[in-house]
Amino acid sequence: MTDRAHAGRAVAVRRGGVPEATVARLPLYHRVLVDLAESGVATVSSDALATTAGVNPAKLRKDLSFLGSYGTRGVGYEVSVLIEQIGAELGISSEWPVVIVGVGHLGHALANYGGFASRGFRLVALFDDAPQLVGTEVAGLTVRPFADLPAVARADGVLIGVVATPAPAAQQVADALVAAGVNSILNFAPVVLSVPPAVDVRRVDLASELQILAFHQQRRGDDLGQVAR
Amino acid sequence: MTDRAHAGRAVAVRRGGVPEATVARLPLYHRVLVDLAESGVATVSSDALATTAGVNPAKLRKDLSFLGSYGTRGVGYEVSVLIEQIGAELGISSEWPVVIVGVGHLGHALANYGGFASRGFRLVALFDDAPQLVGTEVAGLTVRPFADLPAVARADGVLIGVVATPAPAAQQVADALVAAGVNSILNFAPVVLSVPPAVDVRRVDLASELQILAFHQQRRGDDLGQVAR
DNA sequence: GCAACTTTGTGCGTTCCTTCACAAGCGCTT
DNA sequence: AAGCGCTTGTGAAGGAACGCACAAAGTTGC
């Protein structure tokens, strides 16, 4: 999973010491809960919520227990309360300024992704150096040349950046992001970024995901003595 | 019934028993190794490879040991051998036919992703029901109406599908994929898909990834006594 | 006010994963 | 051919995560 050993020893169950595995599931719970709320559901049991989210009920309860005790025995959880508590834990209350670098198809897709605001993010700028893109408007923002990054980053206090460039450009983009004070990077380029230890990088890679699926698929096939056609 | 039944524990580490955590890292190693090979590197030590991939050297060696013993003590690993062995384990040798449903910006980005062929995948069809898209050519393929899915899936033996539609359409797309014999789904839509137990779904969600980053960012800020924003 | 019922919160055993540390093995040098 | 330096492969220890199972705690109905 993640071997981002944050602070090394801080993982102990201190105040706010939510296990990494739990953190990774909180956004999922949040999403499911918001959907429930929109469907008019006011209260939900751990069993029902766990089924919807596709996890084990006991695991769900334990995850939620790290945030505090917000359930009512015999009844369940109030959806709105959970949404608020998970949101608080994830920092949705504050509004994180985010920049996207690279406005190809992927950058477009990300920029037009509707869920930024409702999840605590504000897209503040799009960068790309392609002349035919600079100056055009995408998702209500004007695409700016990458050279503008430092100014924007400092002006808006940007700490989170998304790399959606082709692989060859990714490393130097990351370097520039780090130099501009960004220390959380979401990397969609199929390369391993080299950054200072203080910078947190998450990598999202289509091919890796497909290969993991293919591995399981292959194993299933082997078990049945079948051959992938 | 399987080896698992009459084997206490050792067999779990035997042929085909690669731990899930290791499987998730193999594509990363593969990618790094291919990059090394293209740079003309012929041999690499676990330390060097681990540094490049950003993992612990011992973990890397243990991961590789599940595939067999392909290193030379005192020297390291031959890059080409590792690429081949990891490829074999991941099923890169065979060529998995893949379909993408949804040809918006994200679908475009995925379709134009160059790494399919080199990683054992062959993109066989793109589906979208938008009239202005059907019939157009994307990434060398003609976009087809979603109704064509069953025919294509059976003709090509498609077992892996990518959902790149907006959230509201995702569930029914998934249902159709399953009905057409697809049992590995990569889901980019921000919803939890409900599928039969035999179907393997992996979810890739921009917002979740950002929220995990934000959580760590927030925790770092808290540690320093800072306030977000 | 009490009993029956429901659901949470969690202690505990189990499994999985990670990391350390070192013996075994290989090539190079002398 | 023997010793030296380097790197792999892995035993073992320590953590982290999972999930069962149940007591605690609340609600509902009478």
Coordinates of all heavy atoms in Angstrom, one line a residue, chain C residues 2 4-9 13 17 19 21-27:
Chain C
dC2 P -38.6 -2.0 36.8 OP1 -38.7 -2.3 38.3 OP2 -37.4 -1.2 36.3 O5' -38.8 -3.3 36.0 C5' -40.1 -3.7 35.6 C4' -40.1 -4.4 34.3 O4' -40.4 -3.4 33.2 C3' -38.8 -5.0 33.9 O3' -39.0 -6.3 33.3 C2' -38.1 -4.0 32.9 C1' -39.4 -3.6 32.2 N1 -39.3 -2.3 31.4 C2 -40.0 -2.2 30.2 O2 -40.6 -3.2 29.8 N3 -39.8 -1.1 29.5 C4 -39.1 -0.1 30.0 N4 -39.0 1.1 29.3 C5 -38.4 -0.2 31.2 C6 -38.5 -1.3 31.9
dA4 P -38.1 -11.0 27.8 OP1 -38.9 -12.2 28.0 OP2 -36.7 -10.9 28.3 O5' -38.2 -10.6 26.3 C5' -39.3 -10.0 25.7 C4' -38.9 -9.2 24.4 O4' -38.4 -7.9 24.8 C3' -37.9 -10.0 23.6 O3' -38.2 -9.9 22.3 C2' -36.6 -9.2 23.9 C1' -37.2 -7.8 24.1 N9 -36.3 -6.9 24.9 C8 -35.6 -7.2 26.0 N7 -34.9 -6.1 26.5 C5 -35.3 -5.1 25.6 C6 -34.9 -3.7 25.6 N6 -34.1 -3.2 26.5 N1 -35.4 -3.0 24.6 C2 -36.2 -3.5 23.7 N3 -36.6 -4.8 23.6 C4 -36.1 -5.5 24.6
dC5 P -37.3 -10.7 21.2 OP1 -38.3 -11.4 20.3 OP2 -36.3 -11.4 21.9 O5' -36.7 -9.5 20.4 C5' -37.6 -8.4 20.1 C4' -36.7 -7.2 19.6 O4' -36.1 -6.5 20.7 C3' -35.6 -7.7 18.6 O3' -35.6 -6.9 17.4 C2' -34.3 -7.4 19.4 C1' -34.8 -6.2 20.3 N1 -34.0 -6.0 21.5 C2 -33.5 -4.7 21.8 O2 -33.8 -3.8 21.1 N3 -32.7 -4.5 23.0 C4 -32.5 -5.6 23.8 N4 -31.8 -5.3 24.8 C5 -32.9 -6.9 23.5 C6 -33.7 -7.1 22.4
dT6 P -34.7 -7.4 16.2 OP1 -35.6 -7.5 15.0 OP2 -33.8 -8.5 16.6 O5' -33.8 -6.1 16.0 C5' -34.4 -4.8 16.1 C4' -33.3 -3.8 16.3 O4' -32.8 -3.9 17.7 C3' -32.1 -4.0 15.4 O3' -31.8 -2.8 14.7 C2' -30.9 -4.4 16.4 C1' -31.4 -3.7 17.7 N1 -30.9 -4.3 18.9 C2 -30.2 -3.5 19.8 O2 -30.0 -2.4 19.6 N3 -29.7 -4.2 20.9 C4 -29.9 -5.5 21.2 O4 -29.4 -6.0 22.3 C5 -30.6 -6.3 20.2 C7 -30.8 -7.8 20.4 C6 -31.0 -5.7 19.1
dT7 P -30.9 -2.8 13.4 OP1 -31.5 -1.9 12.5 OP2 -30.6 -4.2 13.0 O5' -29.6 -2.2 14.0 C5' -29.6 -0.9 14.6 C4' -28.3 -0.6 15.4 O4' -28.3 -1.4 16.6 C3' -27.1 -1.0 14.6 O3' -26.2 0.2 14.6 C2' -26.5 -2.1 15.3 C1' -26.9 -1.9 16.7 N1 -26.9 -3.0 17.6 C2 -26.5 -2.8 18.9 O2 -26.1 -1.7 19.3 N3 -26.5 -4.0 19.7 C4 -26.9 -5.2 19.3 O4 -26.8 -6.1 20.1 C5 -27.3 -5.4 18.0 C7 -27.8 -6.7 17.5 C6 -27.3 -4.3 17.2
dT8 P -24.8 0.2 13.8 OP1 -25.0 1.2 12.8 OP2 -24.4 -1.2 13.5 O5' -23.9 0.8 15.0 C5' -24.4 1.9 15.7 C4' -23.7 2.0 17.0 O4' -23.9 0.7 17.7 C3' -22.2 2.2 17.0 O3' -21.8 3.2 17.9 C2' -21.6 0.8 17.4 C1' -22.7 0.2 18.2 N1 -22.8 -1.3 18.2 C2 -22.6 -2.0 19.4 O2 -22.3 -1.5 20.4 N3 -22.7 -3.4 19.2 C4 -23.1 -4.1 18.1 O4 -23.2 -5.3 18.1 C5 -23.3 -3.3 16.9 C7 -23.6 -3.9 15.6 C6 -23.2 -1.9 17.0
dG9 P -20.4 4.0 17.8 OP1 -20.6 5.3 18.4 OP2 -20.0 3.8 16.4 O5' -19.5 3.1 18.7 C5' -19.6 3.1 20.1 C4' -18.7 2.1 20.7 O4' -19.1 0.8 20.4 C3' -17.2 2.2 20.3 O3' -16.5 2.1 21.5 C2' -17.0 1.1 19.4 C1' -18.0 0.0 20.0 N9 -18.5 -1.0 19.1 C8 -18.9 -0.8 17.8 N7 -19.3 -1.9 17.2 C5 -19.2 -2.9 18.2 C6 -19.4 -4.3 18.2 O6 -19.9 -4.9 17.3 N1 -19.1 -4.9 19.4 C2 -18.6 -4.2 20.5 N2 -18.4 -4.9 21.6 N3 -18.3 -2.9 20.5 C4 -18.6 -2.3 19.3
dG13 P -6.7 -13.6 22.8 OP1 -7.0 -14.5 23.9 OP2 -5.6 -12.7 22.8 O5' -6.6 -14.5 21.5 C5' -7.8 -15.3 21.1 C4' -7.8 -15.4 19.6 O4' -7.9 -14.1 19.0 C3' -6.5 -16.0 18.9 O3' -7.0 -17.0 18.0 C2' -5.8 -14.8 18.3 C1' -7.0 -13.9 18.0 N9 -6.6 -12.5 17.9 C8 -6.0 -11.7 18.8 N7 -5.8 -10.5 18.5 C5 -6.4 -10.4 17.3 C6 -6.6 -9.3 16.4 O6 -6.2 -8.1 16.6 N1 -7.3 -9.6 15.2 C2 -7.8 -10.9 14.9 N2 -8.4 -11.0 13.8 N3 -7.6 -11.9 15.7 C4 -7.0 -11.6 16.9
dC17 P -0.5 -9.3 2.1 OP1 -1.2 -8.6 1.0 OP2 0.2 -10.6 1.8 O5' 0.5 -8.4 2.9 C5' 0.0 -7.2 3.5 C4' 1.1 -6.5 4.2 O4' 1.5 -7.2 5.4 C3' 2.4 -6.3 3.3 O3' 2.6 -4.9 3.2 C2' 3.5 -7.0 4.1 C1' 2.9 -7.1 5.5 N1 3.4 -8.2 6.3 C2 4.0 -8.0 7.5 O2 4.2 -6.8 7.9 N3 4.3 -9.1 8.3 C4 4.1 -10.3 7.9 N4 4.5 -11.3 8.7 C5 3.5 -10.6 6.6 C6 3.1 -9.5 5.9
dT19 P 8.8 -1.0 5.3 OP1 8.6 0.4 5.7 OP2 9.0 -1.3 3.9 O5' 10.0 -1.5 6.2 C5' 9.9 -1.5 7.6 C4' 11.0 -2.4 8.2 O4' 10.6 -3.8 8.0 C3' 12.4 -2.2 7.6 O3' 13.2 -1.6 8.6 C2' 12.8 -3.6 7.1 C1' 11.8 -4.5 7.9 N1 11.5 -5.8 7.3 C2 11.5 -6.9 8.1 O2 11.9 -6.9 9.3 N3 11.2 -8.1 7.4 C4 10.9 -8.2 6.1 O4 10.6 -9.3 5.6 C5 10.8 -7.0 5.3 C7 10.5 -7.0 3.9 C6 11.2 -5.9 6.0
dA21 P 19.1 -4.2 12.5 OP1 19.2 -4.0 14.0 OP2 19.7 -3.3 11.5 O5' 19.7 -5.7 12.3 C5' 19.0 -6.8 12.8 C4' 19.6 -8.1 12.2 O4' 19.0 -8.4 10.9 C3' 21.1 -8.0 11.9 O3' 21.6 -9.2 12.3 C2' 21.2 -7.7 10.4 C1' 20.0 -8.6 9.9 N9 19.5 -8.2 8.6 C8 19.5 -7.0 8.0 N7 18.9 -7.0 6.8 C5 18.5 -8.3 6.6 C6 17.8 -8.9 5.6 N6 17.5 -8.3 4.5 N1 17.6 -10.2 5.7 C2 18.0 -10.9 6.9 N3 18.6 -10.4 7.9 C4 18.8 -9.0 7.8
dC22 P 23.2 -9.4 12.6 OP1 23.2 -9.6 14.1 OP2 24.0 -8.3 12.0 O5' 23.5 -10.7 11.9 C5' 22.6 -11.8 11.8 C4' 22.7 -12.6 10.6 O4' 22.0 -12.0 9.5 C3' 24.2 -12.7 10.1 O3' 24.5 -14.0 9.7 C2' 24.2 -11.8 8.9 C1' 22.9 -12.1 8.3 N1 22.4 -11.1 7.3 C2 21.6 -11.5 6.3 O2 21.3 -12.7 6.2 N3 21.2 -10.6 5.3 C4 21.6 -9.3 5.5 N4 21.1 -8.5 4.5 C5 22.4 -8.9 6.5 C6 22.8 -9.8 7.4
dA23 P 25.8 -14.8 10.2 OP1 25.7 -14.9 11.7 OP2 27.0 -14.1 9.6 O5' 25.6 -16.2 9.6 C5' 24.4 -16.9 9.6 C4' 24.0 -17.4 8.3 O4' 23.6 -16.3 7.4 C3' 25.1 -18.1 7.6 O3' 24.6 -19.3 6.9 C2' 25.7 -17.1 6.6 C1' 24.5 -16.4 6.2 N9 24.7 -15.0 5.8 C8 25.4 -14.0 6.4 N7 25.4 -12.9 5.8 C5 24.6 -13.1 4.7 C6 24.1 -12.2 3.7 N6 24.5 -10.9 3.6 N1 23.3 -12.7 2.8 C2 22.9 -14.0 2.9 N3 23.2 -14.9 3.8 C4 24.1 -14.4 4.7
dA24 P 25.6 -20.3 6.2 OP1 25.1 -21.6 6.6 OP2 27.0 -20.0 6.4 O5' 25.2 -20.1 4.6 C5' 23.9 -20.1 4.2 C4' 23.8 -19.7 2.7 O4' 24.1 -18.3 2.6 C3' 24.9 -20.4 1.9 O3' 24.3 -20.8 0.7 C2' 26.0 -19.3 1.7 C1' 25.1 -18.0 1.7 N9 25.8 -16.8 2.1 C8 26.7 -16.7 3.2 N7 27.2 -15.5 3.3 C5 26.6 -14.8 2.3 C6 26.7 -13.4 1.9 N6 27.5 -12.5 2.5 N1 26.0 -13.1 0.8 C2 25.3 -13.9 0.1 N3 25.1 -15.2 0.4 C4 25.8 -15.6 1.5
dG25 P 25.1 -21.6 -0.4 OP1 24.2 -22.5 -1.0 OP2 26.4 -22.0 0.2 O5' 25.4 -20.4 -1.5 C5' 24.4 -19.7 -2.0 C4' 24.9 -18.7 -3.0 O4' 25.5 -17.6 -2.3 C3' 25.9 -19.2 -4.0 O3' 25.6 -18.6 -5.3 C2' 27.3 -18.7 -3.4 C1' 26.8 -17.4 -2.8 N9 27.6 -16.8 -1.8 C8 28.1 -17.5 -0.7 N7 28.8 -16.7 0.1 C5 28.8 -15.4 -0.5 C6 29.3 -14.2 -0.1 O6 30.0 -13.9 0.9 N1 29.0 -13.2 -1.0 C2 28.2 -13.3 -2.1 N2 28.1 -12.2 -2.8 N3 27.7 -14.5 -2.5 C4 28.0 -15.5 -1.6
dC26 P 26.1 -19.4 -6.6 OP1 24.8 -19.6 -7.4 OP2 27.0 -20.5 -6.3 O5' 26.9 -18.3 -7.3 C5' 26.3 -17.0 -7.6 C4' 27.3 -16.0 -7.8 O4' 27.9 -15.7 -6.5 C3' 28.5 -16.3 -8.6 O3' 28.5 -15.6 -9.9 C2' 29.8 -16.0 -7.8 C1' 29.2 -15.1 -6.7 N1 29.9 -15.2 -5.4 C2 30.4 -14.1 -4.8 O2 30.3 -13.0 -5.4 N3 31.1 -14.2 -3.6 C4 31.2 -15.4 -3.0 N4 31.9 -15.5 -1.8 C5 30.6 -16.6 -3.6 C6 30.0 -16.5 -4.7
dG27 P 29.5 -15.8 -11.0 OP1 28.8 -15.6 -12.3 OP2 30.3 -17.1 -10.7 O5' 30.5 -14.6 -10.7 C5' 30.0 -13.2 -10.8 C4' 31.1 -12.3 -10.4 O4' 31.6 -12.5 -9.1 C3' 32.3 -12.4 -11.3 O3' 32.8 -11.1 -11.6 C2' 33.3 -13.2 -10.5 C1' 33.0 -12.7 -9.1 N9 33.2 -13.6 -8.0 C8 33.0 -15.0 -8.0 N7 33.3 -15.6 -6.9 C5 33.9 -14.5 -6.1 C6 34.4 -14.6 -4.8 O6 34.5 -15.5 -4.0 N1 34.8 -13.3 -4.4 C2 34.7 -12.2 -5.2 N2 35.2 -11.1 -4.6 N3 34.2 -12.1 -6.4 C4 33.8 -13.4 -6.8

